[in-house]
Amino acid sequence: MSQAWVIVSGKGGVGKSTITAALAVALARRQLMTVAVDTDIGLRSLDILLGLQNKIVYDMVDVANKDCKLKYALVQYAGAPALSLLPASQLGSSADVNAELMGKLVRKLKKRFSYVLMDAPAGLERGVTNTLHSADHALLIVTPDDVSIRDAERVITLLAQLHKPRPLLIVNRVVPELVLRGEMYSPQTVANTLDVPLLGYVPEDRAVLRALNRHQTVMDEDCPARQALERISQRFVGEYVPMPSHTKRRWFFGWR
Ligand SMILES: Nc1ncnc2c1ncn2[C@@H]1O[C@H](COP(=O)(O)OP(=O)(O)OP(=O)(O)O)[C@@H](O)[C@H]1O
Ligand SMILES: [Mg+2]
């Protein structure tokens, strides 16, 4: 059965778009029909992250306004044909697509795709709530700091008010050495604080920026962030993949 996920954070700049693009590529490379939906109207970014910025003719607002059919706005990703992008418009604002139109759009997408991954804007304004409304599930992206955690708590409250299931958590930009030294929250500590299940964590990795500058996702780099996202995508589709233990302290003969 098709699933619509929103990738959301509260705090801006924590890696929602990076993770949406990478997860979408990982799912599509497993031959799972996936659409990445950029709901950040006016501030789109998934097109650049996927290297599709020169292929956009129509966007989500055109579809919502019935200026074009959905199929003409979808852009196929060359690196994995099972992946399509529904871009946000570069102009306009979240007011251009209301919750009802967004809901209709998602229902249409679910008929064609197994996974609908919606990259939410930052904050908790209308654009975000519209997207939360239309999603079946939420992936919460948090960086291991108090500001991001506090904003994530507000997202969790909002999801509960909308009668949505509890989100799954991805902790991004983890620096294992700092966690070991007790100078950064461990991913599990963040999960315990927020009381949500941990899907995985992504380490801080310069290859993420390198990939962005090449207009490709981190799934085309050979780096720790890619490996982490690979594991996350496996857990996302229900496979059992243990968490790597390099943020735990080495203790005699094993890890604890
Ligand atoms: N694991 C990581 N390691 C290093 N840099 C990262 C990592 N994850 C994200 N970044 C960098 O952080 C910046 C913000 O990422 P991104 O645009 O994905 O965040 P966002 O949550 O979508 O932001 P916004 O709220 O503005 O939409 C980018 O420059 C990205 O390359
Ligand atoms: Mg973004």
Side-chain angles (χ1 to χ4, degrees):
M1 214 178 101
S2 301
Q3 304 176 3
W5 287 78
V6 56
I7 292 80
V8 64
S9 64
K11 182 172 186 275
V14 298
K16 294 178 294 298
S17 304
T18 302
I19 290 175
T20 305
L23 185 58
V25 169
L27 293 175
R29 288 190 178 156
R30 299 168 73 101
Q31 321 307 330
L32 295 164
M33 290 298 289
T34 303
V35 59
V37 184
D38 197 334
T39 72
D40 204 346
I41 299 171
L43 289 170
R44 72 183 178 204
S45 61
L46 282 184
D47 54 328
I48 291 182
L49 286 168
L50 291 166
L52 296 173
Q53 66 278 11
N54 297 327
K55 298 202 170 156
I56 295 174
V57 181
Y58 296 108
D59 57 54
M60 181 204 286
V61 177
D62 296 319
V63 180
N65 291 337
K66 295 205 166 89
D67 289 335
C68 84
K69 288 191 168 179
L70 175 60
K71 65 178 177 183
Y72 297 121
L74 291 169
V75 188
Q76 203 176 37
Y77 178 67
L83 173 60
S84 297
L85 167 72
L86 179 59
S89 71
Q90 185 52 21
L91 304 169
S93 74
S94 56
D96 294 341
V97 181
N98 63 31
E100 196 193 331
L101 288 173
M102 185 69 112
K104 266 191 193 164
L105 201 57
V106 171
R107 281 195 292 280
K108 269 191 193 170
L109 288 168
K110 281 173 74 175
K111 288 187 186 145
R112 298 172 67 132
F113 297 95
S114 305
Y115 289 97
V116 179
L117 302 186
M118 293 180 278
D119 178 23
L124 288 171
E125 303 307 322
R126 211 164 105 190
V128 179
T129 39
N130 286 348
T131 311
L132 295 185
H133 258 297
S134 57
D136 306 313
H137 307 279
L139 256 187
L140 188 59
I141 313 299
V142 177
T143 48
D145 60 82
D146 287 324
V147 177
S148 179
I149 292 172
R150 188 171 59 190
D151 291 358
E153 273 165 354
R154 292 202 52 205
V155 175
I156 293 170
T157 306
L158 188 55
L159 284 166
Q161 285 166 354
L162 296 172
H163 307 290
K164 300 288 174 186
R166 271 189 103 62
L168 296 182
L169 175 71
I170 297 179
V171 184
N172 190 25
R173 309 197 77 156
V174 174
V175 183
E177 303 81 58
L178 293 186
V179 175
L180 278 176
R181 292 209 300 263
E183 292 169 8
M184 179 179 267
Y185 294 131
S186 74
Q188 195 55 56
T189 303
V190 178
N192 294 348
T193 308
L194 292 170
D195 192 21
V196 288
L198 179 65
L199 184 66
Y201 73 88
V202 183
E204 173 73 26
D205 190 337
R206 276 198 293 182
V208 175
L209 194 55
R210 193 167 62 221
L212 170 63
N213 289 335
R214 290 178 179 164
H215 296 179
Q216 60 185 31
T217 76
V218 73
M219 302 318 277
D220 289 321
E221 299 278 332
D222 186 13
C223 63
R226 180 220 172 125
Q227 289 155 13
L229 282 154
E230 206 81 70
R231 288 190 293 272
I232 285 172
S233 70
Q234 288 170 277
R235 292 187 201 110
F236 188 76
V237 297
E239 291 172 13
Y240 173 71
V241 184
M243 296 277 169
S245 51
H246 54 262
T247 58
K248 292 183 185 162
R249 204 178 297 277
R250 200 160 164 60
W251 191 253
F252 289 111
F253 305 110
W255 298 92
R256 71 177 172 104

